[in-house]
């Protein structure tokens, strides 16, 4: 069982930056693949970025070159650095931990990009 707590969301102007954090507890963090998803109102939850246990990242086309996913196994924390934010990045961002058939979610953190 893994508990995930996201933080770092907020209101930012277009072109600005935010860093989301996902603190994990309850299990061995380093063996889990971690990911960030987002869900805008009225839309499905989409994968934004993921990082394997071996720290290999992948990104959705819409965020490539702007977002960076990383992990610090010593701190049991995954991060999502978001730069050059756009209004279309506005959504609730969710952290996910996955190991084989087991998948765990955080409660989400709101990111709003608006002037």
């Amino acid at each position: 069982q893994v508990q995930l707590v996201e933080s770092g969301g907020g209101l930012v102007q277009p072109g600005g930056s935010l860093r989301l954090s996902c603190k994990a507890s309850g299990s061995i963090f380093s063996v889990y693949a971690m990911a960030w998803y987002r869900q805008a109102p009225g839309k499905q939850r989409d994968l934004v970025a993921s990082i394997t246990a071996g720290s290999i990242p992948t990104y959705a086309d819409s965020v490539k070159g702007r977002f960076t996913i990383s992990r610090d196994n010593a701190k049991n924390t995954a991060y999502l650095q978001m730069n050059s934010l756009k209004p279309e990045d506005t959504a609730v961002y969710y952290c996910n931990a996955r190991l084989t058939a087991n998948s765990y979610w955080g409660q989400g953190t709101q990111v709003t990009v608006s002037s």
Side-chain angles (χ1 to χ4, degrees):
Q1 190 78 8
V2 177
Q3 293 78 45
L4 303 172
V5 178
E6 300 102 331
S7 61
L11 173 65
V12 63
Q13 293 186 343
S17 298
L18 283 174
R19 188 177 82 154
L20 305 183
S21 298
C22 174
K23 176 75 171 178
S25 60
S27 189
I28 303 174
F29 176 77
S30 61
V31 302
Y32 285 81
M34 301 299 296
W36 288 94
Y37 288 74
R38 66 187 179 187
Q39 187 168 21
K43 296 189 177 181
Q44 66 180 18
R45 189 174 298 188
D46 292 326
L47 177 65
V48 175
S50 63
I51 187 166
T52 67
S55 294
I56 299 173
T58 58
Y59 299 94
D61 287 342
S62 60
V63 306
K64 280 181 181 177
R66 300 189 297 123
F67 290 11
T68 302
I69 190 171
S70 62
R71 64 190 299 158
D72 186 337
N73 290 338
K75 295 183 178 180
N76 287 358
T77 302
Y79 304 97
L80 185 68
Q81 177 66 43
M82 304 186 295
N83 299 329
S84 302
L85 282 160
K86 304 175 181 180
E88 51 263 44
D89 295 317
T90 295
V92 178
Y93 283 70
Y94 295 91
C95 178
N96 174 265
R98 181 174 52 82
L99 177 64
T100 60
N102 299 309
S103 181
Y104 304 94
W105 294 91
Q107 82 288 351
T109 185
Q110 176 70 46
V111 171
T112 303
V113 184
S114 176
S115 55

